[in-house]
Each structure stands twice: as structure tokens, then as C-alpha cells.
């Protein structure tokens, strides 16, 4: 056991719940009360501090070094241009990045530029520019499924997990882009200084992968 607290940034919400389930199986995370409004939980026995943050902010806390490690969707790693060490795939949080819209919506060979609503402007721009298709990005912060329904955009680029949000809004996947999943990331400096402790956690997490 080290003398310093190891700080882990956990994403709030769906991915955070899955992460806590797995952490509990390896004997960690018991101090975290998800229903509370508290943002920091300390396990003095294990010398681990947990911070609950918005999923897309996990990478910022880790890159700046206030968290040593963190759990994050690959989507946030691809969207944010930050320098962190990707330690392992966690085997959960599996989703696909997809272009979605109303059934029959045309993506290619349109007279007008395709309007794409998304929380992920960087990912969407890169994807379409690789095939030389100019698009107009409409940046939203959530509930992007609304955009094609009200004519704000032609399509959306978003992650699809169960597909239930698309279904509930009469939208279809028009094109699957690529799969993504949850990753364990580390601050580059923290990883060197806390190598043994972080390695021990990753070893345990590896045993939990299906
Ligand atoms: C994510 C994503 C989709 C939905 C997909 O949104 O942006 O809207 O989940 O999941 P599903 O296929 O299982 O329905 P999130 O729940 O993070 O909320 P947000 O739209 O407010 O960002």
C-alpha cells in the first residue's frame, strides 16, 4: 500500500454504473454512493479516492493529473485531443458510432450539403472528410435525436448502445461507423510513479473481462 491516495475519475451515469459493478467485483468502489450528490469518496483502507465527473470530463481530470486513472468511453478519447495513456479495454460499455436519421434519408449524392447534428464534431468531421464529403456540423450537447425530427439537421452522428433511443424516436441507423467501448486511462506521469498500484488494479480488471 502506498502512502498517497490513488485518485480514480469515474464517469457519472450509465458507464459509471457499469464501472462500479465491475470495481465492486474486485473489492473496490464500495465507498461510492451513486445516489448521493457527493462528488468525492475516500477509501482510507485501500488509499483510493474516487471522483465522480461528467463522462466527457474524465479525460480532462486525468490529463491534468488531478486524477491518476479514469474510466472513459473511447468516444471521448477520440473527440478530445488530449494526451493520456490508454491502459486497457474494459470489455464493457460496448456501443457503435453511427450515422442515424429518418428511415430512407439519403446520406450521399445530395444536392445540398448534409447537415449533421452531433455531440462529436471532431469525429463526424474526420469521418466525412475521409471520404471527401462536405458537411455542416450542428453541435449539440445532448438529446441529438431531436434534431432530425424537427428539421434542425438531416442526420445525427452519435453512439448507439441498445438502440432504444433511436427506436423511441422513429430513427434508424443509416450507416454504422465503428465500434467503441470503455477504456481505462492513466495520466502519463502518474502511471510511472504509481506503476505497481495501477498494475495491480489492471491485473484484477483483466480477470473480470468476459
Ligand atoms: C447516449 C447517446 C444516445 C443514447 C444511446 O446519450 O448519445 O442518445 O445514449 O443509447 P441507446 O442506444 O441505449 O438508447 P446519453 O444517455 O448519454 O444522453 P444525452 O443524449 O443527454 O447525451
Amino acid at each position: 500500500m502506498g502512502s498517497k491516495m490513488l485518485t480514480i475519475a469515474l464517469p457519472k451515469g450509465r458507464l459509471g454504473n457499469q464501472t462500479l459493478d465491475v470495481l465492486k467485483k474486485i473489492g473496490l468502489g464500495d465507498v461510492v454512493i451513486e445516489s448521493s450528490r457527493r462528488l468525492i469518496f475516500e477509501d482510507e483502507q485501500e488509499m483510493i479516492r474516487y471522483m465522480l465527473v461528467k463522462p466527457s470530463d474524465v479525460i480532462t481530470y486525468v490529463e491534468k493529473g488531478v486524477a491518476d486513472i479514469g474510466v472513459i468511453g473511447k468516444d471521448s478519447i477520440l473527440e478530445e485531443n488530449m494526451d493520456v495513456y490508454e491502459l486497457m479495454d474494459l470489455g464493457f460499455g460496448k456501443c457503435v458510432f453511427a450515422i442515424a436519421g429518418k428511415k430512407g434519408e439519403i446520406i450521399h449524392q445530395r444536392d445540398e450539403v448534409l447537415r449533421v447534428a452531433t455531440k462529436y464534431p471532431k469525429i463526424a468531421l474526420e469521418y466525412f472528410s475521409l471520404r471527401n464529403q462536405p458537411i455542416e456540423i450542428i453541435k449539440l450537447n445532448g438529446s441529438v435525436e431531436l434534431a432530425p425530427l424537427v428539421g434542425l439537421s438531416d442526420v445525427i452522428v452519435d453512439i448507439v448502445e441498445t438502440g432504444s433511443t433511436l427506436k423511441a424516436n422513429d430513427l434508424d441507423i443509416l450507416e454504422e461507423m465503428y465500434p467503441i467501448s470503455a477504456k481505462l486511462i492513466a495520466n502519463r506521469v502518474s502511471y510511472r510513479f504509481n506503476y505497481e498500484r495501477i498494475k495491480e488494479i489492471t491485473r484484477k480488471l483483466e480477470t473480470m473481462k468476459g
Side-chain angles (χ1 to χ4, degrees):
M1 203 183 291
S3 57
K4 177 187 159 286
M5 284 261 176
L6 187 79
T7 302
I8 306 182
L10 297 178
K12 289 189 202 175
R14 214 176 342 181
L15 190 57
N17 296 340
Q18 293 177 56
T19 306
L20 278 169
D21 287 347
V22 171
L23 285 177
K24 283 175 184 167
K25 284 185 191 148
I26 61 166
L28 299 176
D30 287 313
V31 294
V32 180
I33 304 158
E34 295 150 271
S35 57
S36 141
R37 298 288 295 167
R38 258 189 99 87
L39 300 171
I40 298 179
F41 298 90
E42 287 188 354
D43 183 338
E44 283 175 9
Q45 217 155 11
E46 295 284 345
M47 292 296 282
I48 295 179
R49 177 191 296 125
Y50 299 91
M51 298 188 334
L52 294 185
V53 307
K54 211 172 138 64
S56 52
D57 289 337
V58 166
I59 196 162
T60 306
Y61 285 90
V62 173
E63 198 212 32
K64 300 289 180 201
V66 289
D68 301 304
I69 58 176
V71 172
I72 189 173
K74 181 74 181 175
D75 51 313
S76 303
I77 302 178
L78 293 169
E79 183 63 28
E80 308 297 333
N81 213 358
M82 291 197 198
D83 185 30
V84 293
Y85 185 45
E86 208 174 298
L87 288 176
M88 65 178 284
D89 186 278
L90 290 166
F92 57 84
K94 291 192 169 133
C95 306
V96 287
F97 250 109
I99 305 169
K102 288 187 192 157
K103 202 182 184 71
E105 182 72 55
I106 296 161
I107 303 177
H108 308 276
Q109 290 166 334
R110 302 172 61 100
D111 293 337
E112 284 165 8
V113 170
L114 187 72
R115 295 169 305 154
V116 180
T118 187
K119 291 185 278 189
Y120 304 95
K122 180 167 171 270
I123 289 169
L125 274 172
E126 274 170 11
Y127 187 80
F128 282 97
S129 79
L130 274 176
R131 57 190 198 198
N132 293 318
Q133 182 172 3
I135 59 166
E136 180 195 338
I137 291 283
I138 295 150
K139 167 77 169 70
L140 294 176
N141 295 301
S143 302
V144 291
E145 291 83 2
L146 185 59
L149 298 179
V150 296
L152 179 62
S153 75
D154 302 308
V155 296
I156 62 172
V157 160
D158 202 7
I159 49 172
V160 181
E161 189 169 11
T162 62
S164 56
T165 310
L166 289 182
K167 193 155 179 258
N169 292 292
D170 296 319
L171 298 173
D172 281 341
I173 291 182
L174 303 171
E175 185 176 316
E176 285 197 8
M177 296 160 66
Y178 43 82
I180 52 164
S181 55
K183 306 281 178 183
L184 186 72
I185 56 169
N187 174 275
R188 288 191 182 278
V189 177
S190 301
Y191 184 61
R192 284 209 305 274
F193 281 98
N194 299 284
Y195 181 81
E196 281 309 325
R197 297 189 69 197
I198 293 173
K199 208 69 202 164
E200 191 192 327
I201 294 172
T202 58
R203 264 196 295 269
K204 287 183 184 161
L205 286 172
E206 281 293 349
T207 65
M208 286 296 127
K209 282 170 71 174

